[in-house]
Amino acid sequence: MNNGHDAMLWLTTEAERVQCNLCAHRCKLAEGAWGICHVRRNVAGQLRTFSYDRIVAMNVDPIEKKPLFHFLPGTESLSFATPGCNFRCSFCQNWQISQSPRQGEEGLAGEDRNTQSIPPADIVALARRHGCASISYTYTEPTIFFELAYDTARFAHQQGVRNCFVSNGFMTSEAIETIRPYLDAINVDLKAFSDETYKKVYGGRLQPVLDALKMLVQAGIWVEVTTLIVPDLNDSPEELRQIAMFIANELGQAVPWHVSRFHGDYQMRNTQSTPLKTLGLACRLGTEAGLKYVYCGNVPGQADERTCCPMCGDLLIDRVGFTVKSVNLSDGKCPACGEKIEGVWE
């Protein structure tokens, strides 16, 4: 029988109950109970993770696909995931793997022929073999496979490979502090600016995400933010303005904001795609809020995804979709006017 792998960041509360301190749900679990993520379980008074050796997807991606536009542009990143998530977004594009542990009454136990066990050292070796500058923990929520991510990230740093999370940001201060020495960049989905929406649609809460974003910036990790704009859900001018103002005022005007077009999926297949005019409005509101770098995603060829100097307007990074055509920076500055362009460039 599979009894899982030792979990991190938990404590015993009373009797054989345990509390997981990995994500902001902070699940308190009786003997045999699964967490909200359905991959962590109380086994005889010990918290165990069942996602450690369950890699369900692995690919070599452009770093721009994360999306990370100000982090080693034009490089590739070995990207992987295990099943599971601590959210239940009704339009998840990767629901087949993120929600798979919830399909039955139990969590991620037993053997799964669709997953494979790859040790951290082998993951890093694969990244180096493919010439990847980084490893991205993505497709599902990396917080949920924190132990595998942590072990891999530590080894990656020893081998000169960077680490990136693509996350919903619903993590605790303990998780951030633990991964901080090894996490180089993160893209956080700020999905809405309404706690009610977070509760009803995503199964989470807004404030822990806002708190985590501020902690990540303060920790010196390179942060970019993505908002998938969903019609009639988070697309009002007021809510988009609130998101833009939060990023500019609380995280910093140099934090890139990716506004992304929604396409129907999972339980929201019949919802229309985001109108281009709404994306244009979001970009304008971001600029009005003082953000230096606002990008429009999921509309390749129909929106400007280039990086221009916020001071003089010169083209610095020419990109279309996930393809970088040229990078024109001089020691992280605009060659024309000398303006510092925030990011991780080497």
Side-chain angles (χ1 to χ4, degrees):
M1 179 181 178
N2 183 1
N3 286 319
H5 185 277
D6 290 341
M8 299 173 65
L9 302 178
W10 63 279
L11 53 83
T12 301
T13 55
E14 68 275 350
E16 289 191 342
R17 295 180 68 89
V18 301
Q19 177 175 312
C20 177
N21 291 321
L22 182 58
C23 89
H25 287 304
R26 294 190 186 270
C27 295
K28 293 182 178 180
L29 307 174
E31 161 63 25
W34 292 88
I36 288 174
C37 61
H38 284 236
V39 302
R40 299 163 80 77
R41 187 183 198 185
N42 180 343
V43 179
Q46 304 288 313
L47 188 63
R48 310 287 291 176
T49 173
F50 288 79
S51 63
Y52 189 88
D53 57 353
R54 299 295 184 83
I55 293 177
V56 71
M58 179 175 282
N59 297 285
V60 174
D61 291 332
I63 193 66
E64 286 73 22
K65 191 176 181 179
K66 301 304 107 187
L68 287 167
F69 278 12
H70 287 234
F71 182 82
L72 305 178
T75 65
E76 292 185 318
S77 187
L78 183 71
S79 305
F80 77 91
T82 71
C85 190
N86 52 357
F87 276 13
R88 46 172 174 75
C89 305
S90 54
F91 49 78
C92 179
Q93 294 181 340
N94 292 322
W95 62 271
Q96 295 94 335
I97 55 177
S98 70
Q99 301 302 311
S100 60
R102 287 197 175 92
Q103 301 308 308
E105 291 297 320
E106 292 251 319
L108 189 65
E111 299 301 326
D112 188 338
R113 287 175 294 179
N114 295 320
T115 64
Q116 57 182 323
S117 176
I118 306 177
D122 290 355
I123 295 172
V124 176
L126 281 169
R128 298 187 66 188
R129 186 182 310 157
H130 288 284
C132 296
S134 63
I135 296 173
S136 290
Y137 309 81
T138 179
Y139 306 138
T140 62
E141 174 52 46
T143 310
I144 298 312
F145 56 95
F146 189 87
E147 292 79 8
L148 178 59
Y150 178 79
D151 288 349
T152 304
R154 283 197 308 167
F155 193 77
H157 261 208
Q158 294 173 10
Q159 301 296 313
V161 178
R162 312 284 183 91
N163 297 291
C164 314
F165 273 14
V166 181
S167 172
N168 60 30
F170 201 65
M171 56 182 68
T172 63
S173 58
E174 298 97 310
I176 293 171
E177 182 58 28
T178 301
I179 197 65
R180 179 191 58 78
Y182 312 108
L183 186 61
D184 300 285
I186 186 170
N187 186 298
V188 173
D189 289 326
L190 182 50
K191 297 175 181 289
F193 214 77
S194 161
D195 195 55
E196 181 180 5
T197 301
Y198 261 86
K199 289 177 180 177
K200 288 185 175 181
V201 181
Y202 312 128
R205 289 170 287 124
L206 172 62
Q207 193 59 50
V209 179
L210 303 183
D211 293 342
L213 275 163
K214 289 187 281 188
M215 284 186 283
L216 288 160
V217 170
Q218 292 165 3
I221 297 163
W222 179 252
V223 174
E224 302 192 20
V225 177
T226 294
T227 301
L228 181 69
I229 301 180
V230 183
D232 300 322
L233 183 67
N234 62 354
D235 63 342
S236 71
E238 179 57 29
E239 187 160 357
L240 294 172
R241 184 179 293 109
Q242 287 177 320
I243 294 173
M245 293 296 293
F246 169 79
I247 297 171
N249 296 336
E250 300 293 336
L251 306 183
Q253 294 179 338
V255 171
W257 185 30
H258 302 261
V259 295
S260 189
R261 192 182 196 190
F262 167 86
H263 298 285
D265 209 332
Y266 193 28
Q267 297 169 344
M268 292 180 63
R269 296 180 187 274
N270 296 324
T271 302
Q272 67 169 339
S273 297
T274 316
L276 293 179
K277 65 178 182 180
T278 305
L279 297 171
L281 171 64
C283 291
R284 178 171 61 81
L285 292 172
T287 301
E288 290 177 356
L291 293 175
K292 294 182 180 181
Y293 313 105
V294 182
Y295 300 104
C296 187
N298 281 355
V299 282
Q302 299 183 59
D304 194 346
E305 296 182 284
R306 303 177 300 170
T307 298
C308 295
C309 176
M311 182 61 69
C312 72
D314 262 26
L315 175 62
L316 301 176
I317 304 175
D318 189 6
R319 66 172 72 79
V320 177
F322 304 139
T323 301
V324 172
K325 301 172 72 174
S326 66
V327 178
N328 183 30
L329 290 169
S330 178
D331 293 326
K333 298 179 181 179
C334 172
C337 69
E339 176 76 2
K340 178 184 178 181
I341 308 301
E342 293 83 356
V344 178
W345 309 116
E346 58 182 25

